[in-house]
Every structure is written in C-alpha cells, then in structure tokens.
Amino acid sequence: MARRISTEEGRAALAGVSAAENPSRTDLATAVRYLLQLLVEKAPGHTVEVRVPPFGAVQVIEGPRHTRGTPPNVVETDARTWIAVATGAEQWADAASAGRIVASGTRADISDLLPLRP
C-alpha cells in the first residue's frame, strides 16, 4: 500500500459508502484500502494474501513468506463484500457460502480477524 489513510479519511469514505446506493469510486477505493490497512495492522505478516480487485491486495498473518507465483493462501472478494465482512455488516461464513468470498489454502480463513474496528 502506497500511502497511509488517516482514520478521519477512512471513516469518511466508509460513511460515504454506507450512505449511498451507488457510492463514488473514490469512496469505495478509499474504504477498501483503509480496511485492508487496518487488517495489516491487526495481523501483520506474509502468509495470506487478501485481494480486493481492483482496489488493493495485502499480505497478512505471521508465518512463511511467499515470494513467487500464486500464493498458497489467498482470499479474494469484491469491494462491497469486503467492506461488509470487514465492518461486521455481514458474516464471513454467509459471504463465503454465497460464493462472494473465495478462500483457498489451509490458512485462508481470516474470519477470526473480522470484523475490524475502524
């Protein structure tokens, strides 16, 4: 992640996303990146890659570092689903069973780290 998103900027983006049926791309991107930033702060490491295309991807959870090719532990979801599970508006298990979260690898279930508290 390039620059640090302030708490105020992150909360404003989350408010913008929750208040609008079709939030601006800027609010959506900032909210996703802010929540990914909080996840990295909560569980630093390089074992699981969390992807929220096209807005961001981070590596989290202590353990073996991945350096080449497709990581063995990957979580991928869309922006709205990421925001919902990261804020507690939706449960990980519900989103995963609906196919909106794809988690592969033995350590890819990060539900115990959610929700994040912005």
Side-chain angles (χ1 to χ4, degrees), residues 46-65:
H46 300 282
T47 300
V48 178
E49 186 164 294
V50 180
R51 301 173 179 167
V52 186
F55 301 118
V58 295
Q59 291 186 351
V60 295
I61 303 176
E62 289 184 17
R65 176 184 289 267

Side-chain angles (χ1 to χ4, degrees), residues 78-91:
D78 63 275
R80 291 224 183 230
T81 301
W82 169 244
I83 293 168
V85 297
T87 59
E90 183 173 8
Q91 295 298 309

Side-chain angles (χ1 to χ4, degrees), residues 12-99:
L14 286 168
V17 168
S18 67
E21 189 173 315
N22 291 310
S24 73
R25 183 171 170 85
T26 301
D27 278 350
L28 207 54
T30 302
V32 165
R33 291 175 183 139
Y34 176 63
L35 292 167
L36 288 171
Q37 175 181 295
L38 292 179
L39 181 63
V40 168
E41 290 170 2
K42 186 173 187 176
H46 300 282
T47 300
V48 178
E49 186 164 294
V50 180
R51 301 173 179 167
V52 186
F55 301 118
V58 295
Q59 291 186 351
V60 295
I61 303 176
E62 289 184 17
R65 176 184 289 267
H66 170 76
T67 57
R68 292 191 149 171
T70 302
N73 299 288
V74 176
V75 173
E76 189 163 335
T77 189
D78 63 275
R80 291 224 183 230
T81 301
W82 169 244
I83 293 168
V85 297
T87 59
E90 183 173 8
Q91 295 298 309
W92 171 278
D94 296 337
S97 67

Side-chain angles (χ1 to χ4, degrees), residues 20 63 116:
L116 301 166

